[in-house]
Amino acid sequence: MTRVEPLAAITAATRDLLASAGRLGDADMRAPSLLPGWTRGHVLTHVARNADGGTRLLTWARTGVEAREYPSMEARAAVIEDGAGRPAAVLIEDVRASAERWAEAYEAMPDDAWERVVEWTSGARRPAARAADSRLTEVLTHHVDLDAGFTAADWPADYVARMLPNIVAAYARRDDDAPRLRVRATDTGAAHGDGEIQVSGPASSLLAWLMGRADGRDLTGAEGVTLPFLY
């Protein structure tokens, strides 16, 4: 069986995101996030629509009836833009309600449905279990992007330990000019990759850098290394 990310981890990450968002007012939602071109309202709208898209994928896997994550990438962009300017209370409630719908879809999944292959908007076809991994990644990553006090250093250690080798491997699979890396986490001793460029530092800092959420200034060996956008 493919490993399925526990619902408890996703629920906890969502609760923390909602706590951060709950401290923001209407003006804060119009302020820039850490993602170029997106306000905090864009980030929260994206998190909510991602939950709804994930709910559709899980429903597809459970019922066998095709239910697309989004009709297209253009439709995805449009629905995020349309929702970004809403009041803070509406944005926060949208994140909360959509997360609850996603959790209900998760709980309705029979064990064998997690292995059924569904198709993401990108065209990637993967077992439905990846929707749970993806949801946790979305919530934790965009919590950082919200720029509301939560940083990569706050990511759960087990999440960082699982993600770091996956991201290094993703770079190694690319056929563009992505650097070939070997990274070593100075706080855990874990090393990943066999590339000629060696970068070291705290595990969460390495992951944030690789995911484009940090400039790498607290890492050794990262200076001058150009990373393509990965996520």
Side-chain angles (χ1 to χ4, degrees), residues 22 26 35 38-39 49 52 58 63-64 76 90 110-113 121 129 135 140 144 159 196 202 204 220:
D26 289 349
L35 286 176
W38 272 17
T39 64
R49 299 290 73 76
D52 286 340
L58 294 183
T63 65
R76 171 185 177 275
V90 176
D111 288 346
D112 63 340
T121 310
R135 180 59 183 169
L140 288 173
V144 171
Y159 167 77
E196 64 277 7
S204 61
T220 300

Side-chain angles (χ1 to χ4, degrees), residues 43-65:
V43 171
L44 291 177
T45 300
H46 169 57
V47 171
R49 299 290 73 76
N50 171 263
D52 286 340
T55 296
R56 288 189 285 273
L57 290 179
L58 294 183
T59 302
W60 179 359
R62 178 173 59 84
T63 65
V65 178

